[in-house]
Amino acid sequence: MSQKALTAIHASPPAHWVGDGFLVQPLFASLAFGQEVSPFLMLDYAAPHQFKPSAKPPGVGAHPHRGFETVTIVYEGEVEHRDSAGNAGKIGPGDVQWMTAGSGVLHEEFHSRDHAARGGSVSMAQLWVNLPASDKKVAPRYQTVLAGTIPTLEIADGKGALRVVAGTYGEAKGPAKTFTSLNVWDVTLQAGAALDLAITPGDNVLVALLSGKVAVGADKASGTGLLTFSTAGDSIALRAEADTKLLVLSGRPLAEPIAHYGPFVMNSEAEIREAIDDFRRGKMGRLEEFA
Ligand code: MN
């Protein structure tokens, strides 16, 4: 194996609120929606945040999406979702919701009613995964990926664990169905763990540092941030210098033009205008369906 070189450590932009429920850092920073992160689009990470008990669950009300997938990973707390295609679900720590917006849905994302009533910590990540042009208008789909169905592998000589949410790791296969070849690995490392990961040649790879401290050679990153690597090479090597949480994302780049506006991600400006028009005409579902 030849090691990929670290090309940059991207500092996390300041956190901002999504609705009143999620205080997130956009970890892809200036790379979001660019070819370097394809087939992924952006990653919002909400570090643990304490919420007071509330009769009204915090979150984000009905809004549309078209042309990509939203992947929600819950670390702490409980998130409840409902969409105009008739899907609904509640996910807790370790669970993942993989929603294919495809041709278009309206959905809402809140803390669960029970969790809001109790109050407490909420931490989650939301990853946006692009769809290839040929699948941008597929029928919406909703996959609830419960923690118990996600293969968890021992790595780094027993000093770490890797959960295969999507794609593969060795012989293990992640439960989430995807439209293109990609891997989502949820990784925890103990201080002192040394990790070598094989990466398919030609794939983009991104290491999102959620907490802790990692070193790649002489370079170090701590807190939250995004590590990017050279195209050449077929492995990455990390060392944890504290207890660390990572999301390792890799996949075949789509190499297609990207046009994005708010909640829509298409291939051209004309398709964005069509998405806005279809949303206004109620073709992605209607607000009344949430009444
Ligand atoms: Mn959404």
Side-chain angles (χ1 to χ4, degrees), residues 31 103 106 135-136 165 250 286-287:
L31 300 183
S103 59
L106 259 65
D135 291 316
K136 280 195 174 289
V165 175
S250 61
R286 291 186 180 278
L287 296 173

Side-chain angles (χ1 to χ4, degrees), residues 155-156 159-161 187-191 193 195 214 240 242-246:
I155 54 170
K159 287 190 159 181
V187 174
T188 51
L189 298 172
Q190 294 167 24
L195 178 63
V214 289
D243 289 352
T244 294
K245 288 172 65 170
L246 307 169

Side-chain angles (χ1 to χ4, degrees), residues 12-117:
S12 296
H16 65 265
W17 283 96
V18 174
D20 61 358
F22 308 101
L23 181 60
V24 304
Q25 289 177 290
L27 294 192
F28 282 9
S30 62
L31 300 183
F33 301 98
Q35 296 298 339
E36 269 181 88
V37 298
S38 179
F40 308 101
L41 293 163
M42 69 112 211
L43 175 65
D44 273 348
Y45 174 60
H49 182 85
Q50 284 293 327
F51 289 83
K52 292 194 178 75
S54 162
K56 185 183 163 295
V60 198
H63 59 276
H65 291 295
R66 170 182 280 181
F68 64 103
E69 301 181 293
T70 67
V71 178
T72 307
I73 303 171
V74 174
Y75 296 105
E76 294 178 20
E78 218 173 38
V79 174
E80 211 163 338
H81 156 274
R82 218 154 49 119
D83 72 31
S84 56
N87 301 302
K90 191 157 70 172
I91 54 171
D95 298 337
V96 177
Q97 175 215 97
W98 198 292
M99 186 192 80
T100 306
S103 59
V105 285
L106 259 65
H107 77 160
E108 55 176 38
E109 301 159 275
F110 287 101
H111 299 191
S112 75
R113 198 158 281 282
D114 291 348
H115 187 272

Side-chain angles (χ1 to χ4, degrees), residues 139-223:
R141 182 171 79 183
Y142 176 76
Q143 302 176 70
T144 300
V145 180
L146 297 176
T149 70
I150 299 174
T152 303
L153 306 162
E154 195 181 283
I155 54 170
D157 295 325
K159 287 190 159 181
L162 184 152
R163 302 197 313 143
V164 189
V165 175
T168 57
Y169 180 86
E171 300 291 302
K173 202 173 174 321
K177 295 188 196 82
T178 65
F179 285 81
T180 61
S181 173
L182 60 88
N183 301 297
V184 175
W185 298 332
D186 182 19
V187 174
T188 51
L189 298 172
Q190 294 167 24
L195 178 63
D196 260 293
L197 292 171
I199 304 294
T200 304
D203 277 10
N204 282 331
V205 58
L206 303 156
V207 174
L209 175 63
L210 306 185
S211 66
K213 184 173 183 184
V214 289
V216 180
D219 296 301
K220 295 176 188 198
S222 59

